[in-house]
Amino acid sequence: MKTDVLIVGGGPAGAASALFLKRQGIDSLIVEAEDFPRYHIGESMTGAAGQLLRDLGLEGEMTRLRFPVKCGVKVFGKSSAGNWFVPVRGRGADGNMFDAETWQVRRSEFDKMLLDKALDGGATLIHGKATRPVIRDGVVKGAHVSMRGGGQLTIESEMLLDCSGQSTWLANLGGVTGPKYVGAYDKQIAVFSHVRGAIRDSGTARDERKDNTLIFYKEKYHWAWFIPIDDETVSVGVVAPSSLLPKGESLHSYLTRELPELHPELKRRLPVLDLVEEVRAIPNYSYQVRDFCGKGFICIGDAHRFVDPIFSFGLSAALREAEFAASVVRDWLGGKNRDEANPFAAYQLFCEKGTDVLEDLLDTFWEHPFAFSVCVHNKYRDLLTDTFAGRVYEHEHQPNVAIRDFRRLLGREEERELSYLNGSAYSIPIGSRYHPERAPLWEATPGESQAA
Ligand SMILES: Cc1cc2nc3c(=O)[nH]c(=O)nc-3n(C[C@H](O)[C@H](O)[C@H](O)COP(=O)(O)OP(=O)(O)OC[C@H]3O[C@@H](n4cnc5c(N)ncnc54)[C@H](O)[C@@H]3O)c2cc1C
């Protein structure tokens, strides 16, 4: 079987890639291992993610599916003096800001809707699991697929997009991408479920709207989320250093014990703990893959990098990288940059710089919480509202002066500049302060397949 573009993974990165490629007149074939609808974590969107969905013409679908409207994120600190709110705001072409909205989503429904739209637009879906890439003369030329109903299929492609999420399909196989490194929040675990019967806010001010994201801060690296995903259901999760999860305690017991203990404002909102979804956990979610683009392939979204879930940037990065990839894929298919060592080096650097902005915001939140809240409240209110909204790329005037101040505070301004200047495109500090040896999770060894 042959296709111009093969997309591995039909989640948001994969489905959005197909939709944006279609706008360039390019058809694609998506290989997805799971049956949709399927559960997935990642339910709160940034303003930029919401805007991208509007740009795709999906506002009507989002409304039809009755996804809750989010006006901002409210953070509850250790005391009420530490509470703050960041509204969702857009920025017009004239540079002025305006109140905007985005959505919270039940991922099973949202991901299915997006994939269905991609299929309506002409993409083809293959139910199966990509096992190995096809590589010829150092160029990725497709993938071998283990079909859901049994049997093997080889799909030849001019371009492969790895949108496989946290399973980081290509990086795990070794030899195609660079190595995968642990990220700063690798020693964390998230434990989560859905509840009914939670008390929602009910005010009319933007920071009191019933469907906003709420974050509860207990200690450094120890927090909880509260994300309404429909009129009755709220997604709740606790994130903590993995060492705090008692050995032998079940996830269910841990979550139901932690939720009422973590913060009085959270306890007040959960008078009963009626869990209506399996309790799941994701440990070690923070990583970065070097050289995630190359001849015939690009990794998009979680397939190459995830930092920290606290401010809901995952979907935003996945969707926006999918958008940016469409034109460079079109150029490649048109024969451009074929002789370059990395035909997608500029795209790669562009995406890395965007996520570096997020990483610097997140690291400053954890490392310098007081300075961070002063900047959010007063010093750089609008500039940080931009960043929280997911406007983190160069053409969105990033890194702005707030992010550059954060870099100075973190002592990494020079390192960032150097890494960009020498074109390495790698985030610093890769492997993070928790891993001073900066050892990759595994080194890419051509032809060798390694487990995660
Ligand atoms: C604890 C936690 C909380 C989070 N909260 C938020 C949040 O509130 N907001 C937010 O925006 N983000 C959040 N995220 C991040 C968010 O979940 C991801 O960034 C987002 O899902 C990335 O989308 P994706 O399409 O790259 O990957 P995914 O959504 O994971 O999709 C990948 C798809 O690829 C398929 N696949 C994998 N391997 C193969 C293969 N070999 N062959 C075929 N198919 C394959 C999978 O079945 C899957 O459907 C959170 C993350 C964590 C860990």
Side-chain angles (χ1 to χ4, degrees):
M1 183 180 246
K2 283 194 177 175
T3 180
D4 277 346
V5 181
L6 173 60
I7 299 174
V8 174
S17 293
L19 286 165
F20 283 112
L21 284 168
K22 188 68 195 176
R23 292 191 160 187
Q24 303 281 348
I26 301 165
D27 284 326
S28 53
L29 194 150
I30 301 171
V31 179
E32 170 54 53
E34 290 195 44
D35 264 332
F36 282 27
R38 51 96 177 93
Y39 177 89
H40 205 292
I41 192 63
E43 295 142 324
S44 184
M45 291 206 192
T46 64
Q51 186 53 46
L52 180 142
L53 295 172
R54 281 185 206 100
D55 293 346
L56 280 171
L58 297 175
E59 184 165 13
E61 277 300 286
M62 299 297 285
T63 309
R64 189 183 65 78
L65 290 167
R66 300 170 57 90
F67 289 130
V69 169
K70 167 184 170 184
C71 293
V73 53
K74 189 163 187 171
V75 177
F76 291 91
K78 281 174 118 168
S79 69
S80 57
N83 298 354
W84 44 276
F85 176 74
V86 182
V88 176
R89 303 200 79 205
R91 201 182 270 280
D94 56 4
N96 291 327
M97 296 193 93
F98 54 89
D99 285 346
E101 293 172 345
T102 186
W103 290 279
Q104 319 280 23
V105 291
R106 184 189 290 274
R107 283 289 300 273
S108 52
E109 291 171 14
F110 173 74
D111 290 16
K112 180 165 183 344
M113 180 275 286
L114 210 56
L115 183 58
D116 285 347
K117 288 285 163 198
L119 302 183
D120 290 349
T124 305
L125 177 64
I126 301 267
H127 295 282
K129 186 169 186 176
T131 51
R132 284 174 300 120
V134 174
I135 301 175
R136 247 181 256 122
D137 301 326
V139 183
V140 172
K141 284 291 203 179
H144 301 285
V145 175
S146 201
M147 300 295 283
R148 179 90 54 77
Q152 305 293 317
L153 179 69
T154 298
I155 304 173
E156 307 244 340
S157 66
E158 286 302 309
M159 184 71 205
L160 184 143
L161 302 180
D162 177 4
C163 301
S164 60
Q166 291 238 341
S167 70
T168 58
W169 171 66
L170 266 185
N172 281 12
L173 291 169
V176 180
T177 68
K180 178 177 173 180
Y181 283 79
V182 288
Y185 306 98
D186 171 64
K187 296 257 184 282
Q188 298 279 92
I189 186 166
V191 183
F192 44 86
S193 182
H194 292 164
V195 294
R196 290 228 174 115
I199 296 174
R200 317 263 273 260
D201 290 358
S202 57
T204 50
R206 280 170 70 75
D207 66 337
E208 294 167 346
R209 295 281 176 86
K210 77 181 202 336
D211 292 334
N212 286 339
T213 296
L214 308 181
I215 299 289
F216 304 92
Y217 181 101
K218 181 173 184 183
E219 301 284 351
K220 193 175 183 186
Y221 310 132
H222 194 167
W223 58 280
W225 76 71
F226 182 103
I227 300 172
I229 57 165
D230 66 28
D231 279 348
E232 292 174 350
T233 318
V234 174
S235 166
V236 286
V238 170
V239 183
S242 304
S243 55
L244 294 186
L245 193 80
K247 279 208 169 55
E249 184 171 18
S250 72
L251 294 176
H252 187 281
S253 155
Y254 175 75
L255 187 67
T256 50
R257 186 171 55 72
E258 266 283 306
L259 284 171
E261 279 176 9
L262 196 136
H263 196 288
E265 286 288 343
L266 179 57
K267 181 184 167 78
R268 181 174 76 71
R269 286 170 169 80
L270 297 173
V272 288
L273 270 179
D274 179 13
L275 301 190
V276 292
E277 182 60 67
E278 183 187 330
V279 180
R280 295 177 169 88
I282 301 185
N284 317 115
Y285 47 65
S286 192
Y287 56 84
Q288 183 175 29
V289 176
R290 287 190 173 181
D291 294 323
F292 62 90
C293 303
K295 287 185 181 245
F297 76 94
I298 295 178
C299 303
I300 297 178
D302 279 15
H304 72 92
R305 189 168 179 186
F306 187 71
V307 183
D308 183 83
I310 189 161
F311 295 124
S312 309
F313 291 122
L315 279 172
S316 197
L319 295 170
R320 300 203 73 198
E321 288 181 13
E323 178 182 12
F324 302 138
S327 57
V328 297
V329 171
R330 178 202 58 209
D331 289 351
W332 168 260
L333 295 177
K336 280 195 189 155
N337 305 328
R338 293 270 170 160
D339 298 329
E340 305 278 323
N342 181 353
F344 307 108
Y347 168 85
Q348 179 171 279
L349 182 59
F350 175 84
C351 294
E352 285 289 44
K353 283 182 172 181
T355 308
D356 287 349
V357 166
L358 296 177
E359 189 172 68
D360 296 333
L361 178 94
L362 292 160
D363 288 353
T364 309
F365 171 77
W366 288 118
E367 296 302 318
H368 304 282
F370 181 70
F372 187 86
S373 67
V374 168
C375 290
V376 170
H377 277 307
N378 304 310
K379 198 171 173 192
Y380 297 123
R381 211 185 174 104
D382 285 356
L383 291 179
L384 289 175
T385 299
D386 274 328
T387 311
F388 271 100
R391 292 187 286 277
V392 296
Y393 296 98
E394 274 174 324
H395 63 289
E396 292 162 331
H397 310 291
Q398 294 281 11
N400 61 32
V401 62
I403 297 297
R404 290 208 302 275
D405 262 13
F406 288 173
R407 282 183 185 169
R408 271 193 287 278
L409 209 54
L410 294 162
R412 74 172 58 141
E413 201 189 23
E414 204 175 316
E415 266 184 303
R416 285 270 192 238
E417 287 308 317
L418 273 176
S419 76
Y420 298 145
L421 272 179
N422 72 24
S424 61
Y426 303 133
S427 153
I428 309 288
I430 198 164
S432 97
R433 52 198 170 276
Y434 304 115
H435 303 275
E437 72 281 11
R438 293 191 173 180
L441 287 176
W442 52 84
E443 282 286 2
T445 314
E448 193 180 323
S449 180
Q450 300 182 30

